[in-house]
Amino acid sequence: MADSAIVTPVTDAVRRHDTELRGFASDNYAGAHPEILAALALANGGHQVSYGEDDYTAHLQDVMRAHFGPTAETFPVFNGTGANVLALQAATERWGAVICAESAHLHVDECGAPERVGGLKLLTVPTENGKLTPELIDREAFGWDDEHRAQPQLVAITQTTELGTCYTPEEIREICDHAHERGMKVFLDGSRIANAAATLGLPLRALTTDAGVDLLSFGGTKNGLVFGECVVVLNPDAVRAMKHLRKMSMQLASKMRFVSAQFEALLTGDLWLRSASHANAMATRLAEGVRAVDGVELLYPVQANGVFARLPHDAAVRLQKRYRFYFWDEPAGVVRWMCSFDTTEADVDAFVAAVTEEMAK
């Protein structure tokens, strides 16, 4: 092949969507941040060793240690479900069980992957505002000598929770101390940990390493990446065989440099914080706007980039024809509205106006 054929782009690609269209269904609906796309372009070209032996993945280790401490080891993967299942497997034995909130993404939104793929029993407990507490953990933290019972070996918390609330460092420390005293480890599902850190005004390690968390998944796609998440091991004694489990779990990227380069761009500077802070601010603006609409009830504190509300079912259905969003609990009329790094004030104001119009009908 001639050199000119390599460097001269020829494409039949066609833009097939309206770039002005906005919705409030998920922060995954947003495209990639321009700085992330620029990082991908920089990582392209030439040859790099595959399966994580590239320069970008090597440097990512230093970037992550700057955020999480010198013991952190980072394993880039493809997606959030893969990251979570990989982490759970690495921190448990075949007869192990995981204690989590009844509302946890692990339990309700991963198609049974922790149980079917990871082979783990999930022990769920009801929570208030999506948060576990030591007292709630103890509802399932028993029976370690009973061969008939799956053995509780791991506590899983989510930051932010599925209901958009944030654990404080003190709450996480209390959970970690409680779990460790009982011989269990703690995993943090950090798909939106950047939003929590932005809300609380704290560094990432304050919510993880310093609070006693053993390992976490770190979200990328909800904060502007094209694809990719990471499993970050903070306590090396808490896991085993990560490299082998990642491959066996089909989460080993051959061209890993393109995952790592995105996280490098996200976390080397303040892009992660700028993007998360903006998404949070738009959710706050949205909550303030709809709070004034008669008949709309806000259900949980708005502490990150999600707003949970209750409104009449017919009004919600009409509104869905104008903007994409999901019912959280359709029989109860509960909806979830999410903001992202590219949500604008104009987007929010137009949506609030639409809510007002539909409620008036």
Side-chain angles (χ1 to χ4, degrees):
M1 181 180 291
D3 288 345
S4 60
I6 297 174
V7 299
T8 303
V10 177
T11 178
D12 293 324
V14 176
R15 174 169 282 159
R16 301 188 185 279
H17 73 289
D18 179 0
T19 58
E20 299 302 314
L21 186 66
R22 291 290 192 276
F24 293 86
S26 172
D27 34 12
N28 282 324
Y29 275 41
H33 195 286
E35 293 178 41
I36 297 298
L37 292 177
L40 282 170
L42 286 172
N44 198 25
H47 287 201
Q48 279 273 282
V49 183
S50 58
Y51 299 112
E53 298 298 320
D54 59 273
D55 295 337
Y56 296 90
T57 304
H59 185 248
L60 179 61
Q61 300 298 325
D62 295 331
V63 171
M64 287 299 215
R65 285 173 185 142
H67 285 285
F68 293 102
T71 64
E73 188 173 7
T74 300
F75 297 85
V77 296
F78 286 114
N79 55 50
T81 299
N84 289 344
V85 173
L86 171 61
L88 299 184
Q89 287 179 295
T92 57
E93 296 170 296
R94 287 287 294 152
W95 48 91
V98 178
I99 299 174
C100 63
E102 195 173 63
S103 59
H105 195 275
L106 294 171
H107 176 52
V108 299
D109 281 311
E110 293 189 334
C111 199
E115 294 158 315
R116 295 295 298 271
V117 178
L120 295 160
K121 174 68 174 176
L122 297 182
L123 304 173
T124 65
V125 293
T127 63
E128 182 179 358
N129 292 346
K131 292 184 182 181
L132 285 178
T133 65
E135 293 74 23
L136 292 174
I137 289 168
D138 281 346
R139 292 189 182 185
E140 292 291 350
F142 63 89
W144 286 283
D145 293 326
D146 183 355
E147 67 267 34
H148 300 285
R149 175 174 166 79
Q151 301 294 288
Q153 295 180 340
L154 188 68
V155 174
I157 62 176
T158 310
Q159 183 76 304
T160 60
T161 73
E162 286 72 23
L163 303 180
T165 54
C166 295
Y167 285 96
T168 66
E170 294 76 20
E171 289 171 329
I172 298 174
R173 167 54 72 182
E174 190 176 15
I175 288 170
C176 290
D177 288 347
H178 191 77
H180 292 157
E181 287 170 3
R182 285 153 179 73
M184 297 184 292
K185 302 158 189 172
V186 177
F187 163 72
L188 186 147
D189 179 345
S191 62
R192 295 187 178 94
I193 190 173
N195 300 90
T199 289
L200 297 169
L202 293 170
L204 293 166
R205 68 171 296 157
L207 305 175
T208 52
T209 314
D210 295 346
V213 171
D214 294 294
L215 72 167
L216 69 141
S217 58
F218 191 96
T221 51
K222 291 178 174 62
N223 206 20
L225 268 63
V226 180
F227 64 94
E229 317 285 307
C230 287
V231 175
V232 186
V233 176
L234 305 175
N235 175 13
D237 295 330
V239 301
R240 70 193 193 288
M242 279 292 297
K243 291 176 66 174
H244 302 293
L245 284 169
R246 179 171 59 177
K247 176 64 173 179
M248 188 179 74
S249 300
M250 298 171 284
Q251 289 294 318
L252 180 63
S254 56
K255 296 184 180 181
M256 197 180 295
R257 62 167 148 161
F258 295 110
V259 182
S260 300
Q262 294 179 81
F263 276 102
E264 184 181 29
L266 185 70
L267 290 161
T268 297
D270 67 347
L271 177 58
W272 68 278
L273 187 58
R274 282 187 280 124
S275 294
S277 296
H278 177 79
N280 291 357
M282 293 301 98
T284 299
R285 185 183 184 93
L286 173 55
E288 291 172 349
V290 298
R291 184 178 283 113
V293 180
D294 186 40
V296 176
E297 177 189 3
L298 297 182
L299 298 180
Y300 307 110
V302 178
Q303 297 178 341
N305 63 323
V307 177
F308 291 77
R310 180 182 287 115
L311 64 160
H313 186 271
D314 57 344
V317 170
R318 290 196 305 270
L319 190 60
Q320 282 183 320
K321 295 176 181 179
R322 301 172 65 175
Y323 287 90
R324 288 296 299 268
F325 63 86
Y326 294 118
F327 277 101
W328 187 256
D329 182 350
E330 188 166 2
V334 179
V335 299
R336 186 191 74 166
W337 299 322
M338 298 298 297
C339 297
S340 60
F341 76 88
D342 66 349
T343 303
T344 67
E345 292 183 356
D347 296 334
V348 171
D349 294 346
F351 183 67
V352 171
V355 173
T356 304
E357 291 170 9
E358 296 304 333
M359 290 299 295
K361 296 178 182 179

